[in-house]
């Protein structure tokens, strides 16, 4: 890490379940932190205790930062953070970099990158995978789109909070690959939830179901995340909300339309999450979809 990199102040907007882990690991690696004060933040006493500075507006965060990491819910929130009257673009310093770690619609990402460039800044889309546990451990996966040289220059910073970092291509490629990833991950979650619900109604033992799937075509990360819920009603290993799953699959469907790709499976999966969302389970964790589909509501 160069002396200049240590001196750069990193602004973080969205110190939530994922963003707090990012901010904390960046801080531990030696970068000074500024962050946006927001009701959605996790407790920030640890950040403040180690010298982080809080600001009330995105423009003030930007005015006091060389690099701004945005970690909010999705496209509408990213656009609001950047374009609102007291938003990031109003305070952006010449040559500053914005790293967008959210899950967003690629077509919007390209427009945002152009607006950042017009304001004198530079932009990377760097959405993440994994969970708040890995965020706290500094072991996220990043999928990065943007200028290759800028990507290379920011690798030391990104390595402070990520374990696996993939360069995806030009601006928007990171968000495109994140949506592809989440379609597969959340799509398999919906398939497995539906299978588990059917299995219960058919009188199959959950232990036997897990044994057969785990030693066959159902083995994998998603099975391991849903397994504790199927066996013991424990959702702690997959704390991703049905609302966020619905959002991400919806973004994927929108992206398929933008690129004229088929989306039959994605549309059906969206309806599964949308039905659960409409039934009042928007803040429930994805494993609870099994109960929804089992009509245990």
């Amino acid at each position: 890490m160069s002396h200049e990199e240590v001196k750069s102040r990193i602004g973080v907007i969205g110190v939530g379940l994922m963003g707090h882990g990012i901010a904390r690991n960046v801080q531990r690696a030696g970068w000074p932190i500024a962050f946006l004060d927001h009701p959605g933040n996790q407790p920030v006493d640890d950040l403040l205790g180690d010298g982080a500075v809080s600001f009330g507006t995105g423009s003030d965060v930007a005015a006091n930062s060389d690099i701004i990491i945005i970690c909010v819910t999705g496209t509408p929130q990213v656009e609001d953070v950047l374009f609102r009257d007291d938003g990031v673009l109003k305070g952006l310093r010449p040559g500053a970099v914005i790293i967008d770690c959210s899950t967003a619609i690629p077509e919007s990402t390209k427009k945002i990158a152009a607006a950042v460039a017009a304001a004198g800044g530079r932009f990377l889309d760097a959405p993440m995978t994994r969970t708040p546990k890995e965020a706290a451990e500094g072991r996220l996966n990043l999928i990065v789109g943007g200028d290759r040289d800028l990507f290379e220059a920011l690798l030391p910073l990104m390595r402070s909070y990520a374990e696996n970092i993939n360069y995806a291509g030009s601006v928007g490629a990171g968000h495109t690959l994140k949506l592809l990833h989440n379609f597969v991950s959340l799509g398999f979650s919906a398939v497995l939830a539906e299978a588990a619900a059917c299995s219960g109604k058919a009188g199959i033992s959950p232990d036997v179901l897990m044994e057969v799937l785990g030693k066959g075509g159902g083995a994998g990360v998603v099975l391991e995340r849903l397994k504790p819920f199927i066996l013991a009603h424990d959702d702690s290993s997959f704390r991703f909300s049905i609302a966020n799953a619905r959002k991400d699959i919806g973004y994927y469907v929108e992206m398929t339309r933008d690129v004229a790709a088929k989306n039959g499976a994605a549309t059906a999966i969206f309806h599964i999450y949308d039905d659960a969302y409409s039934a009042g389970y928007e803040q429930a964790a994805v494993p609870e979809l099994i109960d929804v589909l089992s009509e245990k509501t």
Side-chain angles (χ1 to χ4, degrees):
M1 186 186 301
S2 74
H3 183 67
E4 182 181 353
E5 286 166 342
V6 173
K7 287 289 187 182
S8 296
R9 171 164 283 175
I10 312 303
V12 181
I13 296 180
V15 188
L17 288 171
M18 303 294 282
H20 183 276
I22 291 174
R24 192 68 177 130
N25 282 291
V26 168
Q27 187 179 54
R28 285 172 176 154
W31 279 275
I33 292 289
F35 66 90
L36 178 66
D37 186 28
H38 190 275
N41 288 350
Q42 292 292 294
V44 294
D45 292 350
D46 52 352
L47 300 176
L48 294 170
D50 282 343
V53 181
S54 172
F55 292 96
T57 68
S59 61
D60 285 340
V61 173
N64 289 275
S65 303
D66 304 296
I67 301 166
I68 301 119
I69 299 173
I70 298 175
C71 187
V72 296
T73 303
T75 292
Q77 292 79 18
V78 176
E79 292 176 350
D80 182 59
V81 159
L82 290 172
F83 298 126
R84 62 186 299 157
D85 289 342
D86 58 0
V88 167
L89 291 187
K90 288 290 172 65
L92 196 67
R93 298 166 66 170
V97 179
I98 292 174
I99 303 175
D100 179 10
C101 288
S102 66
T103 301
I105 300 168
E107 285 304 308
S108 170
T109 298
K110 294 170 187 176
K111 294 172 185 174
I112 285 170
V116 170
R122 295 174 292 170
F123 180 90
L124 291 177
D125 51 304
M128 55 203 164
T129 67
R130 292 190 165 171
T131 71
K133 178 178 181 290
E134 285 89 15
E137 295 167 351
R139 297 178 50 247
L140 290 170
N141 294 335
L142 297 183
I143 312 164
V144 188
D147 179 77
R148 183 72 190 235
D149 290 340
L150 181 60
F151 165 79
E152 298 285 351
L154 292 180
L155 270 175
L157 172 65
M158 292 187 286
R159 284 178 177 143
S160 73
Y161 61 91
E163 180 177 37
N164 301 302
I165 304 171
N166 292 103
Y167 179 71
S170 59
V171 164
H175 282 149
T176 297
L177 271 167
K178 173 64 185 293
L179 292 180
L180 285 160
H181 170 278
N182 280 21
F183 167 53
V184 172
S185 174
L186 295 169
F188 185 32
S189 298
V191 168
L192 182 54
E194 198 168 271
C198 178
S199 175
K201 285 181 175 290
I204 300 297
S205 160
D207 295 284
V208 175
L209 177 68
M210 291 299 94
E211 180 81 7
V212 170
L213 291 177
K215 291 184 176 179
V221 171
V222 174
L223 181 67
E224 294 307 310
R225 284 183 180 170
L226 268 70
K227 186 175 182 178
F229 190 88
I230 293 169
L231 294 178
H233 234 67
D234 174 8
D235 68 0
S236 61
S237 61
F238 199 178
R239 288 281 174 80
F240 192 77
S241 73
I242 284 172
N244 277 333
R246 174 185 178 273
K247 168 186 66 73
D248 289 1
I249 298 297
Y251 283 1
Y252 177 81
V253 171
E254 185 168 342
M255 182 182 77
T256 63
R257 292 170 181 156
D258 288 336
V259 300
K262 298 290 186 183
N263 59 20
T267 300
I269 289 163
F270 174 79
H271 286 307
I272 291 172
Y273 287 111
D274 188 51
D275 287 348
Y277 180 94
S278 299
Y281 287 83
E282 63 270 17
Q283 294 310 315
V286 165
E288 292 189 53
L289 191 61
I290 296 167
D291 281 353
V292 177
L293 295 169
S294 300
E295 299 170 347
K296 293 179 181 180
T297 59

